[in-house]
Structures are given as structure tokens and as C-alpha cells.
Amino acid sequence: MTTRNLHAGLLSLTLLIAFLAVWHVLTTSASHTAAATKLSSNQIETLEQKGMPKADIDAYATEGLTFPQLDQIAGLGLSREEIDAAGGIQSFGFTTGGAAEEAETGFPSPAQVWREAKEQIFDPFYDRGPNDKGIGIQLQYSLARVLTGFLLAITVAVPLGFLIGMSPLWSSAINPYVQVLKPISPLAWLPVALYLIKDSEQASVFVIFICSVWPMLINTAFGVANVKGDWLNIAKTLEMSKLKTAFRVILPAAAPTILTGMRISIGIAWLVIVAAEMVIGGVGVGYFVWNEWNGLNLASMIFAIVIIGLVGLILDLALGQALRLVEYKE
Amino acid sequence: MPHYIVKADLLGKTFPGAKRNEPNVVFENVNFRLEKGEFVTCIGHSGCGKSTILNILAGLDTPTSGCVFTDGKLIDGPGLDRAVVFQNHSLLPWLSALRNVSLAVKAKWPEWSDAEVHEHALKYLEMASLTQALDLKPHALSGGMRQRVGIARAFALETDVLLMDEPFGALDALTRGAIQDELIKIWTETRKTVFMITHDVDEAILLSDRIFLMTNGPQARIAEAVVIDIPRPRDRGEIIHQPGYYDIRNHIIDFLVKRSKELSGSVRAVPLSEVQTENEELVYPPDVNPIADARKSRRRTLQSA
């Protein structure tokens, strides 16, 4: 078993290294091609008509100057050699920034992401105004929303699940609503929540609540309804009250199923918060990703995406650990 | 007049049949009573409804007709005046052996302190030779040990009546023997009234004061009560050498192989309403003593010779 784990670990590591290598190769070669400007034959013709030699056009294009810039340079009526002698095109107010910009908007290499990540990790809680906060602060906000919505969902789903699981009448009565409400995308509730609650913070918590409630409700009801008849018979022969039976027999018997539901819920909640924050804005990892995209800060965006994955993993592990505590073997 | 602690009057169980107007009568007109401190087993083929009778006594099932009493009180549900040992041990898998027993003790005596509950549970687990397994959960116990925990739990309730539904059915022969010894030990110490279902003839003879023989279903009934007057204490190794042991064994085997089928459904059911209006005496299954009968018939053959 341990040797298999070791082998699996090595294999995982190899896959990661291979992935990073491919990523590296693709992004670094892509940035070279991106630096050069491609001119159409029409544009070249126009420039040649203005007296710019073909060799100069190619040279400028490789430096990454765009057509409008070349057009202006052609307007100067100076050859490339003359311009170089005068201190290069920069001294005429032209930037080869076109090329630099091209390199940054191109997909970042692993090294760029790592540089960004280092900065963010060493200073996760910096706060430089509303649209520039550290990843730590973003995570705090997102996690607070997720946990609030999730805990609210527990307080509703578990008791309601018990009711449905214990009473076939309630089960049949509530089931149609569950079936209709369950497939609704949590984001579809967002406008409703925003209109009714009129507070974006509470609306996002509501969205988390509504998406976490179903798996827990269904699993709790299933777990409660499927408690072994033998165990209930014990409770009956011991004259346990309904409440005592619920806490002493049904709850521990159904606990693994209930916790599995919670595990599914927290996973969905973490998926949904990113999308909800993109829509709502403010502070949070979802909006952070969106904001970095808008600022074309792709390295930072990729770093945030990786962090979202890692936090999701930790949430899942935490509930997996809790599940272990209540699990039992028959 | 003996003190009957359990009484079953005109018990019947009917299920709706496949066809209309042809209900499936599992058993009917079942009457019996158990003396205080008596160990009674019930043997019959599958489908004769013996487990249903036990569940009715436990209050987990309801009869279609008739009623059962413990200590003169009508049974209308499960209760702490009767303890049940289930066929498949039915321990709560998330609790240790000790906690399984304490749960029951706490339910019966809610006013007890934790120390008292612990002490009481421990006493019965020790009686079932489970001192080594107190903190183990059921999955870590062997099949025999699990069943012993179930028995300890039932005896720990110190009820007058114990109901056991094939408690050793799922165990291998060797383990079964060991637990039978354990059961005899605990029963001898406590002298509770036991009603037990079994398939094992030797087990029934070893443990019982009387053995109820049931005819085959549908329309099963208790045909007779075989009296086992082999003196106690009985020992698993010794009992087969007791005079008359094989007379009893042969009688029961003969019943199960031949007569249970022949007698099946031969008595017409008396509807409850009729009986009540006529205030008819209940007919109990006749006591049969194969040892005495064998002795008599031997004497007769001697005389005629």
C-alpha cells in the first residue's frame, strides 16, 4: 500500500512537471510570435508608396510597431538608418511598447505566474483601495459568505430532512417542490435575492444557502428513511420517546449519509460563490478573478484560480475528516 | 394454580391473499400460556408464523385477531417489561459492546447515575463472558460475541419475560454450543420466563421446559406442547445420555417430518366473535410427555408378551 502511494505520488509529480514544461514551452514561444506585427500586403503597399523601403518595414514590424505607427514614421520621410542615428524611433515619441504590451497580454508563462504568486503569498492581506486587495482578504470574504450560507442551510436542511425522512406523508408532500427547486441554477435566484433583500452581501449568502440546501436535504431524508428497521425496533422495545429515538438512534445511524450530503453541498457552494461574486462584485475571489481579467493581469488571475482549487480541496478534506468521525462499520 | 405470566388468546394473523376473498391465514386460533420462570421454545417449519407470534408478544407486530397479555396486562405495543433478543444481534454498530448494553439500562432506569448504569451493564456483560470485549464495536466482534452482547443486553433489562427469535440461527455449530452454555448459565442465575424460537431440535431439548410444536402454514397452529422433564442442571455433553432423550428427539423429528404436514390446517378456525358470545373455554395445546409415553408403551409390550 505504501509503495503504491509512493508510486502514485511520483507519477503525479511527473505529470505536474510535464504539464508545466508544456505550458512553459507554449507560452514562451508564443510571446515571440506575438511580439511581431503582421502587416497585410495592402498595408505594406501603402507604406512603400509613402517611400519606406521593404527592408525597413520588415524591421519595424519585427520590433512590434503597429501599422498606424509605421504610417506616421513613413510620414517623417526618414530612413531607418537616419532615425537610428538620431537616437532610434523612441526619440521621435514612438514606443516599441506595442511589442511589450503584446508580450504581457499573451498567456503568462509558469514563471510569470510564480512571480505573481510569490508576491501575493508574501503579502496576502495588503489593502490598497476597493479594487486592489490581497488574495487573503478576498478569500476571507468568500469563505465568510460560503460558511454563513452553508451553516444556515444546515439549520434548515437537517431538521426538514428529518421530517421528510421520518414521515412518508411529509415526504410525498414536499418532494414535488424539492424536485422543481433543485434543478434551478443558484445564479437564477440572484436577481430575486437582490430585489428582495436589496443587499448584495446578503444576496450572495442567500445564493449559497439555496444551492447548499438541496443535497443536504435529500441526503438527510434518505439517510433517515433508510435507518435499519432492526435498530428502530430496539428503540421501540426500549420505549424510547420519538425525540430520544431521533437523537440516539436515527441521527447516529444517518450521520454518515447526512455528512456526505454536507460534503457535496460545500463543494457546490464553493463553485457557486465564484460565479456569484463575479456578478455581484465587491470583494471576494470570484470578483478578484473577474477584476484581474478586466485588468488583463492574467498571471494574477491564474494564481487566483489555483488558490480557488486548493481552498475547495481543503474544504472537502475537512468534511471528509468530519465524515470519518461519524462513520461506522456494520 | 400456577402463575401464568404470558397468555395468548385466540391469536390469528391474516394477510390479504393474491385472490380476493381468499385471505392468506398464516395462523389462527393459537392459544398458549407460559408459567413464570418457564423456558419454552417453539419449533415449526418456515412460514408457520412463529416469528410473527414472537413479534406480537414483543409488541412489534399486531395480531389480526386475539390478544396477548403479560402479567394480566394487554400487550398493545413494545415495552420495557419484555426484552427481545433479535435474530441478527441488532446491536447499534456505532456503539461499543458496553455502550450498547448501557443504552438499554439507561432507558429502563433513567434515574440511575452513570456509575450505576455502568456497574449494572458490566455485571451482565461479565455474566456473558465479555469482559475482554467491553470497548469493542460490533464489527470487531465475532458473530458469537455479538449475539452474547445481544443476550447480555436483554438480560440486563431484568424483565420477567424474555423473547428470543432464533438467537443462534446465524452461528456455526461450535459457537452455538458455547453460547447455549452461556445462556443456560445466565438463565439459571436469573430464572426469567423465556419464549424462544428455534430450528434446532437438540437446542430446544437442552434448554426447554416445554417445546411448542407448530403445524405447517397456512392456517398453522400449535399442535402440542412437549414436556421435557429431564432434570436440571443440564449439560450439553451429558444430556444425550439421559434416559428418554432419544424418545423426545424422535417424537419431535417425527412430528416435524410427518405429522406437522398431516395436521396442517385440520382444525377449523373459530371466529373471535363467536367465541366471545358463547364464552367458550380456550383450548390449549395438549401437553405430551414422550418419555412417559415410551415407558408406558414399553410396559404394555412387556405385559402382552
Side-chain angles (χ1 to χ4, degrees):
Chain A
M1 195 57 207
T2 47
T3 53
R4 205 198 18 206
N5 284 346
L6 186 70
H7 289 172
L10 284 173
L11 192 59
S12 291
L13 207 61
T14 319
L15 287 172
L16 179 67
I17 290 167
F19 171 73
L20 289 174
V22 171
W23 179 8
H24 178 77
V25 169
L26 287 177
T27 46
T28 45
S29 63
S31 68
H32 279 304
T33 51
T37 312
K38 281 211 177 68
L39 298 169
S40 68
S41 53
N42 270 350
Q43 290 172 331
I44 293 171
E45 216 172 291
T46 320
L47 291 170
E48 277 176 339
Q49 279 168 1
K50 291 196 173 177
M52 190 180 269
K54 178 76 168 75
D56 285 8
I57 298 172
D58 288 346
Y60 286 130
T62 354
E63 279 173 24
L65 287 165
T66 54
F67 173 72
Q69 288 177 317
L70 284 172
D71 198 38
Q72 281 175 288
I73 295 169
L76 294 170
L78 297 168
S79 78
R80 192 171 156 80
E81 276 160 21
E82 285 164 334
I83 289 174
D84 279 347
I89 43 163
Q90 281 89 351
S91 56
F92 289 88
F94 295 106
T95 48
T96 47
E101 217 177 73
E102 282 284 338
E104 274 203 7
T105 48
F107 204 77
S109 68
Q112 281 170 298
V113 174
W114 174 240
R115 247 174 276 134
E116 179 67 37
K118 259 198 304 199
E119 272 176 41
Q120 296 268 14
I121 290 167
F122 285 121
D123 189 13
F125 295 105
Y126 73 82
D127 189 350
R128 294 180 212 122
N131 267 348
D132 195 7
K133 289 186 176 31
I135 189 82
I137 295 178
Q138 313 282 358
L139 281 174
Q140 272 180 349
Y141 274 84
S142 299
L143 281 172
R145 287 176 192 135
V146 164
L147 293 181
T148 316
F150 180 73
L151 291 175
L152 277 175
I154 289 179
T155 58
V156 172
V158 173
L160 196 60
F162 252 79
L163 180 69
I164 296 174
M166 286 174 87
S167 152
L169 174 74
W170 276 97
S171 172
S172 307
I174 292 182
N175 192 41
Y177 297 108
V178 174
Q179 296 307 328
V180 170
L181 294 175
K182 185 177 61 140
I184 296 174
S185 164
L187 290 178
W189 290 105
L190 200 51
V192 181
L194 282 170
Y195 181 77
L196 289 177
I197 306 174
K198 297 192 169 58
D199 176 272
S200 63
E201 187 62 35
Q202 285 172 22
S204 59
V205 169
F206 174 79
V207 168
I208 294 304
F209 165 82
I210 205 88
C211 76
S212 339
V213 98
W214 309 119
M216 275 194 259
L217 182 70
I218 291 164
N219 265 43
T220 305
F222 180 81
V224 169
N226 285 285
V227 173
K228 269 195 174 178
D230 285 346
W231 301 341
L232 295 175
N233 279 347
I234 295 170
K236 279 188 205 156
T237 55
L238 293 177
E239 284 186 39
M240 283 189 182
S241 64
K242 278 238 167 187
L243 202 66
K244 230 178 183 181
T245 307
F247 279 103
R248 291 284 170 80
V249 179
I250 299 175
L251 187 61
T257 326
I258 297 173
L259 259 114
T260 306
M262 291 183 184
R263 202 175 172 181
I264 298 168
S265 281
I266 199 108
I268 294 176
W270 192 241
L271 288 179
V272 166
I273 194 66
V274 173
E277 285 172 348
M278 282 183 176
V279 178
I280 285 177
V283 191
V285 276
Y287 182 64
F288 183 71
V289 168
W290 195 245
N291 202 30
E292 298 305 279
W293 158 244
N294 282 335
L296 285 177
N297 194 357
L298 295 190
S300 178
M301 181 189 85
I302 291 168
F303 167 71
I305 288 173
V306 173
I307 290 293
I308 290 171
L310 290 176
V311 171
L313 174 74
I314 291 167
L315 288 175
D316 187 66
L317 284 179
L319 271 145
Q321 211 59 36
L323 178 61
R324 269 199 189 171
L325 290 177
V326 298
E327 249 174 350
Y328 54 83
K329 270 186 238 164
E330 274 184 54
Chain B
M1 167 103 181
H3 177 54
Y4 293 113
I5 191 140
V6 176
K7 257 172 110 267
D9 292 351
L10 294 166
L11 230 45
K13 184 78 183 176
T14 307
F15 290 108
K19 284 183 214 153
R20 249 202 226 187
N21 305 325
E22 268 184 49
N24 177 13
V25 180
V26 185
F27 57 82
E28 57 188 359
N29 211 5
V30 167
N31 306 304
F32 62 86
R33 18 183 207 190
L34 308 181
E35 259 179 64
K36 198 174 166 102
E38 206 180 11
F39 200 124
V40 174
T41 51
C42 183
I43 296 189
H45 287 273
S46 299
C48 71
K50 52 195 189 307
S51 278
T52 311
I53 292 179
L54 186 129
N55 280 338
I56 290 170
L57 288 175
L60 296 169
D61 204 340
T62 47
T64 319
S65 59
C67 37
V68 272
F69 304 89
T70 47
D71 232 354
K73 278 204 315 280
L74 181 73
I75 294 175
D76 59 354
L80 280 162
D81 54 338
R82 288 147 285 147
V84 189
V85 178
F86 296 93
Q87 190 169 1
N88 42 0
H89 73 75
S90 290
L91 301 175
L92 301 177
W94 55 89
L95 295 180
S96 67
L98 179 62
R99 296 279 304 274
N100 260 293
V101 178
S102 331
L103 180 84
V105 175
K106 190 95 194 151
K108 171 106 187 201
W109 295 282
E111 70 282 3
W112 281 11
S113 71
D114 287 350
E116 281 173 304
V117 169
H118 182 263
E119 195 190 339
H120 188 85
L122 211 58
K123 180 179 143 195
Y124 281 91
L125 282 160
E126 271 166 17
M127 241 187 241
S129 314
L130 284 162
T131 353
Q132 306 297 317
L134 297 179
D135 297 320
L136 295 179
K137 292 195 177 158
H139 73 89
L141 299 173
S142 68
M145 285 167 107
R146 279 179 216 160
Q147 203 50 273
R148 290 216 297 257
V149 179
I151 291 169
R153 177 174 64 187
F155 275 93
L157 290 172
E158 296 190 338
T159 54
D160 287 329
V161 181
L162 268 140
L163 305 166
M164 302 193 192
D165 189 0
E166 282 189 62
F168 314 130
L171 304 178
D172 64 273
L174 293 175
T175 315
R176 178 189 284 231
I179 303 190
Q180 283 165 0
D181 288 346
E182 220 71 66
L183 178 60
I184 292 175
K185 197 182 97 193
I186 304 175
W187 180 76
T188 316
E189 278 175 50
T190 54
R191 288 284 163 169
K192 301 296 178 190
T193 312
V194 179
F195 182 77
M196 177 168 140
I197 308 282
T198 181
H199 273 124
D200 186 328
V201 175
D202 293 301
E203 178 175 283
I205 301 172
L206 173 67
L207 299 170
S208 311
D209 294 314
R210 284 192 297 159
I211 302 175
F212 289 165
L213 298 178
M214 287 192 74
T215 62
N216 291 1
Q219 284 172 290
R221 64 197 168 84
I222 299 175
E224 56 189 50
V226 180
V227 177
I228 316 292
D229 52 8
I230 297 173
R232 292 183 191 269
R234 297 173 192 165
D235 179 274
R236 227 166 6 113
E238 286 292 304
I239 194 168
I240 50 169
H241 303 302
Q242 286 281 335
Y245 180 83
Y246 280 95
D247 291 325
I248 299 171
R249 198 172 190 280
N250 293 343
H251 178 84
I252 297 171
I253 301 278
D254 178 62
F255 178 89
L256 290 174
V257 174
K258 278 196 238 146
R259 289 170 55 223
S260 65
K261 208 184 303 165
E262 292 163 8
L263 293 170
S264 168
S266 57
V267 174
R268 194 185 60 85
V270 187
L272 188 62
S273 51
E274 257 175 59
V275 177
Q276 277 173 335
T277 48
E278 291 170 17
N279 206 8
E280 194 178 316
E281 278 272 309
L282 296 172
V283 184
Y284 291 101
D287 282 354
V288 177
N289 189 334
I291 302 180
D293 291 349
R295 223 176 272 142
K296 251 183 260 165
S297 70
R298 254 178 245 130
R299 207 172 299 139
R300 223 173 289 132
T301 42
L302 273 174
Q303 279 166 356
S304 61

